[in-house]
Amino acid sequence: MALPARADALLAPETSQAPEGLPVELVFDAATEATRPGNPNLVIPPLFVELGGALLFAQDDGIHGTELWRTDGTALGTYRLTDLCPGRCDGVLFGGLRPAEAAGGLLFFAGDDGVHGLELWATDGTAAGTRLLRDIVPGRASSTIATLVAAGAQVAFLANDEVHGREIWMSDGTPAGTRLVFDSVAGPEDGNLVPYAYCNVLYAAGSSGLWRLDGTPAGGVQLASAEVSPFASLENEHLAFLPDCRLVFSAAVANDWEPWVSDGTPTGTFPIADLDPAQSSGPRSFVPWGSEVLFLADGPTGPPGVLSIFTTDGSPGGVTEWLPPAGFEPSQFPGARAVVGDKLFLAVFEASLGVELGVWDGTTLTVPLDIAPGPADGLATFGSQGLSLSGSWFVALDDSLLFPAQDPDQGLELWRSDGTPAGTYRLTEIGPGPLSASFDNLSQIRRPVTLGDRVFFRTWDPLSGHRLWTSDGTALGTGAIADLNSQTPAFFARRSQFPIFETLGSACVVSTRHRVLFETEVASRSVRRIYGTDGSPASVELLSEALTEESFLPDASCAPLNDDVIFFGSDGTDHRLFRSDGTSDGTESLAS
């Protein structure tokens, strides 16, 4: 496959060309392993969004910061699409629940080019077709774009223009068509609403109740009053839609959380049932189930603290409860459930089995295989049983489920199940032997995505860094597509977080009479080190080392003075102002 336009240029190493005839030599390699900043248990998976037969996602390659990438499922078709913020700074923000959305043939996303702050951008899937739509808050300040949702050919999102507070905006992909559409709270206070859309109906839910919007500033219709606290939480955790487009969701009156339904009108918005008159039933984990919606909740007939399975058709009182077998508890881990055909796959806990894969067919709950024999957990989780964090994700592919699971012999690997014992098996061995593969966690934030007949997901290991994988549900059809951040630079330019110092440019890189001082960050990018060198490998000397988050002015924090350099650094105990000629013997503290 030929590389798309500009792909070869984007993938080319960014190096400086030495004058002809002069030798080029690597003086010092400060970082030799792939890095993974932060707590590995709190890694948020990438958001994959389909656009034009390919997937777009955000990734840090170790050189350019977090930028927009594209993949069509092949190595040649996987490449970095943008460098919105040139250099090491992040040009794309894909944090939160819905930081990007496809609508009308465009991908809308939150971007920062280092000039306009975090604002709304759009791309048609090409570098040339990537553009800033509107600088809502002019200059470096940001409107903090977030929570994007497709509404027909347009996208709704949250933004703060510093006049109306954080409110709901819409965009049709043009600067003129990017506008505020609902100001729920007059003045600069935030509206605290979250947009959702389905069947060409735009909803907004939050502290001021449930609303239906038509895309015009005066087009808000309140469906439920502010006394009702609707879902405004994890998508696909507290809401789902019936085939007739009615919304089924969790809402509370006086902290009594129960299932509600709305057809988009005030009279058609009401509680379906009070599942447990003695207390809040706390409905959650809503998923479409044939002509109904299925969810988990605390019922009046089950043991205390054990969730029951409910189904509803959305009619008043139209709820059916199903109790799991004695000793079995449906898990609260949000990412660990999926509907495949006429089966619900979900994580279940039983004392003698641990947390394992369960299958419910509408009448019977079974555990097809004890993946980790005995009370050990076969599904990867961390935290206590009641903590809604999971290292497992469930994704439907054709007539089966793909999911990470762990056993004592192979560790955490990719598995497949059709709901039967014979059809539940380990698919691949990403980590050799008992060495576990490291899958992205926090599956309640987002899970992998399918494109055609393939699923895409990301793993991490200390040698290759992040890798993009794809699987068609077979061992032969499962493999890594590309290394995403195997580059591990320690020496790079950074944009300052302090606007007053922007004109100074990069991190500390400055010369004395005979030597050069340069700043690096290594390991988890939290250790700041300043070295001196005369250009030969043997001359590299460590002059200062400190944790970045504790350093004073970590960016652009050095300057030449006569034949020396002054910089803020550490002597191993505290932070001080130093003078240096570029050697360790010629480096001294000036003040504490």
Side-chain angles (χ1 to χ4, degrees), residues 88-126:
R88 187 62 187 83
C89 54
D90 296 333
V92 176
L93 178 68
F94 266 28
L97 293 181
R98 287 175 285 161
E101 183 68 281
L106 297 172
L107 176 76
F108 297 82
F109 63 96
D112 184 352
D113 60 3
V115 177
H116 299 94
L118 188 65
E119 298 290 354
L120 184 68
W121 287 66
T123 182
D124 61 3
T126 67

Side-chain angles (χ1 to χ4, degrees), residues 200-421:
N200 292 321
V201 177
L202 178 62
Y203 294 92
S207 59
S208 60
L210 178 66
W211 296 74
R212 188 192 75 234
L213 310 180
D214 67 2
T216 64
V221 176
Q222 192 171 38
L223 306 178
S225 70
E227 296 178 354
V228 179
S229 299
F231 45 98
S233 179
L234 295 178
E235 190 175 11
N236 299 326
E237 174 65 5
H238 294 292
L239 68 119
F241 289 90
L242 290 162
D244 62 5
C245 297
R246 285 179 297 159
L247 170 65
V248 179
F249 61 98
S250 179
V253 177
N255 290 322
D256 182 14
W257 289 88
E258 299 296 343
W260 283 58
V261 67
S262 177
D263 63 0
T265 68
T267 57
T269 302
F270 53 83
I272 298 172
D274 187 357
L275 299 182
D276 190 348
Q279 62 181 355
S280 172
S281 66
R284 70 208 76 169
S285 307
F286 289 73
V287 293
W289 178 258
S291 62
E292 299 182 304
V293 164
L294 179 149
F295 60 93
L296 305 180
D298 295 308
T301 57
V306 177
L307 299 176
S308 295
I309 299 176
F310 290 84
T311 57
T312 180
D313 61 6
S315 63
V319 178
T320 302
E321 180 183 11
W322 186 86
L323 289 175
F328 283 82
E329 302 178 23
S331 171
Q332 299 184 42
F333 297 127
R337 67 183 57 88
V339 174
V340 182
D342 58 355
K343 298 183 179 67
L344 171 69
F345 290 82
L346 73 166
V348 297
F349 172 78
E350 199 275 333
S352 64
L353 297 174
V355 180
E356 293 288 349
L357 178 68
V359 182
W360 187 65
D361 61 7
T363 58
T364 305
L365 177 66
T366 60
V367 175
L369 183 67
D370 188 5
I371 295 174
D377 293 343
L379 297 183
T381 62
F382 64 94
S384 63
Q385 170 66 11
L387 184 63
S388 295
L389 297 176
S390 173
S392 287
W393 41 257
F394 286 10
V395 61
L397 187 67
D398 296 329
D399 60 350
S400 297
L401 179 81
L402 294 188
F403 62 102
Q406 55 192 4
D407 65 32
D409 296 326
Q410 279 79 32
L412 181 62
E413 299 291 346
L414 186 65
W415 285 63
R416 174 174 179 162
S417 178
D418 63 3
T420 68

Side-chain angles (χ1 to χ4, degrees), residues 45-180:
L47 174 67
F48 295 97
V49 183
E50 183 177 357
L51 183 71
L55 296 178
L56 300 184
F57 61 101
Q59 177 66 42
D60 184 348
D61 65 359
I63 294 290
H64 302 92
T66 303
E67 294 289 346
L68 200 61
W69 283 60
R70 178 192 185 277
T71 183
D72 62 3
T74 68
L76 288 178
T78 302
Y79 56 90
R80 180 174 51 83
L81 186 66
T82 66
D83 191 8
L84 297 188
C85 189
R88 187 62 187 83
C89 54
D90 296 333
V92 176
L93 178 68
F94 266 28
L97 293 181
R98 287 175 285 161
E101 183 68 281
L106 297 172
L107 176 76
F108 297 82
F109 63 96
D112 184 352
D113 60 3
V115 177
H116 299 94
L118 188 65
E119 298 290 354
L120 184 68
W121 287 66
T123 182
D124 61 3
T126 67
T130 302
R131 59 193 184 277
L132 172 68
L133 290 181
R134 180 171 172 180
D135 191 7
I136 294 175
V137 180
R140 278 294 310 278
S142 299
S143 61
T144 57
I145 305 297
T147 317
L148 288 82
V149 59
Q154 302 187 60
V155 67
F157 59 97
L158 296 178
N160 186 346
D161 63 1
E162 299 187 345
V163 176
H164 301 91
R166 191 175 177 85
E167 298 289 356
I168 296 179
W169 289 58
M170 292 191 74
S171 178
D172 61 3
T174 67
T178 302
R179 75 279 183 198
L180 175 70

